[in-house]
Amino acid sequence: MISTKNKVAARLLASGKLTEADLAKAEEIQKKQGGSLNQALIKAGAVDEATLTAAVGEVYNLPVIDLDQAEVEMECIDLVPGDVARKFQVLPVSRRGRVLTVAMSNPSNIFAIDDIKFITGLDVQAAVVSEYAIKKAIDKYYATADSLSEIMEGIEADIEVVEEEDDEDITGQEGQNAPVVKLVNTLLAEAVKMGASDIHIEPYERNMRVRYRIDGVLQEVMEPPIKLKNAIISRLKIMSELDIAERRIPQDGRIKLKIGAKKIDLRVSTLPCIYGEKVVMRILDKGNLNLDLADFNMEEKAINDIYHAIAQPFGMVLVTGPTGSGKTTTLYSCLSKLNNPDLNIMTAEDPVEYNIDGINQVQVREEVGLTFAAALKAFLRQDPNIVMVGEIRDLETGGIATKAALTGHLVLSTLHTNDAPSTINRMIDMGIEPFLVASSTVLIMAQRLVRRICKNCKEEMPLPPEALRDIGLEPGTTVFKGKGCDKCGGTGYSGRQGLYEVMPISPEIRELILDRASTSEIRAMAVQQGMLTLRQDGLVKIRKGITTIEEVLRETAVSD
């Protein structure tokens, strides 16, 4: 007969959820590998996490909680230091008056409960979770702040303060200093883990800060000591193969990383500021790149208009919007849909953000004369079917792109304008004749990115009829917001959604272009023909509960 001193194992045996043979196997594993019998039961495959956790709850007469579903109150996290949480494998979840609910995998650990009572001055109510869940949750809630502060403690002792005039001689050594390497690696890994699109490292007179751009908004994550300024920047320059001795001019580079199974590219830009070089890194995570237009949550007419435009054998399709509005992703998605062995697709980009098999991509290098215009001229001698030009910046590029669109090529490109109708007059102001614009352009799309409401903490937001009417919504419309929870870092938002203004160039709009009509006249005709403006598409996304009124008002104008 197997010993069943472990109450949980006894409960599982009594309920028929564990066999004597599986228990013997688990006890053998425990003898060889150490750890608790509960862990050994999981390793042996005798029971699953959920069954084991439920049994623990029954034995100790405590509630079982699911940390993936539970709403962890962030103010409670601050009550228990990270080292204590890790030592006892506990996580403070919620507080009601003087009672603090703490999730733990081993509720028999009375020392843990007593210590937390002493630290917080509160009564402690235990709740049961699985060992895997508690470890994952502690890593999540204590990860960034604690791991970075632990690294900083080591660095403080390992880096000496160096006089300014000596910097030139020791930057290479500083950049290779092991604690600095660890700090930089952690910053990069945490940014990827948190889903950041950019990392900003900024030196000031008395301090230095690191910020991540998450869902389009910058968030400060740490302040390294100012004496580490040159060491951190030198390390990043070494990684991106830049000149560490050159601090007077901007430099651009690239870092390729492998974080776990992910392959990440970082586009690195340095800029000399008065207190040192600022470094900005754009994170290019191909694993997060969605190239299926059907998943962009566009309205049906808009996506059908785009499909029709890119199916044409020739003509020009333009995507417009500010930097960071997702234009390149939209163009890549169009190319991905068109990409097949029957077509020769060529792109000129600055920089090439993602490599796509089957497409010939060229990196523009203005310093050696390989401009967008020069690349486009070369493309036309390469027998292309489809050409993508990263951006139409000047008359020369615009003129060549327009003529290419008229001579049997499908041309895709971007411009920086506020909306789709104003793109027409922007091209004419650039010097391209109206008849060329009218005859070459097939479709223009403007876009913006807004933050999506966090699904975990989404709730209705009551608004009076007058307020709804003021922003263009019908009285009685249900609108939503995010309350703020652990999954969204308290912001109420998680992820981003595009707003799209898609304007096909109809015969009527062509006539207006030839007549040099104003932007407002072109917009009125497009709306009459069924185009949703950016603001109107934003209102649709509000009605669907995808985003908030604040986000739409922030990204779109009334004239939209």
Side-chain angles (χ1 to χ4, degrees), residues 101-264:
T101 299
V102 175
M104 54 199 307
S105 60
N106 180 15
S108 65
N109 189 342
I110 58 172
F111 299 108
I113 293 171
D114 286 345
D115 270 19
I116 294 169
K117 279 182 182 177
F118 180 76
I119 290 167
T120 62
L122 300 171
D123 294 328
V124 174
Q125 168 66 51
V128 181
V129 293
S130 71
E131 291 190 35
Y132 171 77
I134 196 73
K135 285 175 183 174
K136 179 181 166 188
I138 290 169
D139 284 345
K140 176 181 176 181
Y141 291 104
Y142 288 101
T144 306
D146 278 8
S147 59
L148 293 180
S149 62
E150 284 167 15
I151 292 167
M152 295 313 304
E153 285 171 15
I155 290 174
E156 289 285 346
D158 291 335
I159 298 286
E160 295 180 10
V161 180
V162 181
E163 296 300 322
E164 193 69 31
E165 58 267 23
D166 294 335
D167 287 354
E168 206 73 14
D169 299 324
I170 53 86
T171 47
Q173 295 167 359
E174 279 189 329
Q176 299 287 15
N177 188 297
V180 173
V181 170
K182 187 177 179 184
L183 170 61
V184 170
N185 289 348
T186 302
L187 285 173
L188 300 181
E190 285 294 330
V192 172
K193 179 180 172 184
M194 294 172 72
S197 61
D198 301 85
I199 305 169
H200 291 237
I201 297 174
E202 303 162 316
Y204 297 99
E205 185 176 11
R206 293 186 178 86
N207 68 308
M208 183 180 193
R209 71 176 176 182
V210 177
R211 296 189 291 171
Y212 295 160
R213 188 177 293 280
I214 300 172
D215 292 337
V217 178
L218 282 168
Q219 301 177 16
E220 187 169 335
V221 293
M222 75 171 297
E223 282 195 18
I226 190 64
K227 65 185 179 184
L228 297 179
K229 173 182 70 176
N230 292 322
I232 292 169
I233 292 168
S234 293
R235 174 60 188 160
L236 289 167
K237 283 184 168 183
I238 289 166
M239 292 174 76
S240 46
E241 297 182 356
L242 300 178
D243 183 352
I244 61 171
E246 179 55 77
R247 302 182 187 179
R248 300 162 299 172
I249 59 173
Q251 297 187 67
D252 294 307
R254 207 167 183 127
I255 300 172
K256 286 184 181 288
L257 294 177
K258 191 171 182 185
I259 299 175
K262 278 188 172 186
K263 289 185 178 178
I264 309 292

Side-chain angles (χ1 to χ4, degrees), residues 19 200 256 286 290 312 331 341 364 378 535:
T19 66
H200 291 237
K256 286 184 181 288
K286 198 169 183 179
N290 180 7
Q312 301 306 306
L331 287 179
V364 167
R535 172 61 64 87

Side-chain angles (χ1 to χ4, degrees), residues 501-522:
E501 179 177 284
V502 179
M503 185 177 82
I505 307 301
S506 64
E508 294 79 10
I509 291 176
R510 281 202 174 86
E511 287 296 323
L512 290 174
I513 297 170
L514 290 169
D515 293 340
R516 291 181 179 264
S518 67
T519 295
S520 57
E521 289 174 303
I522 294 170

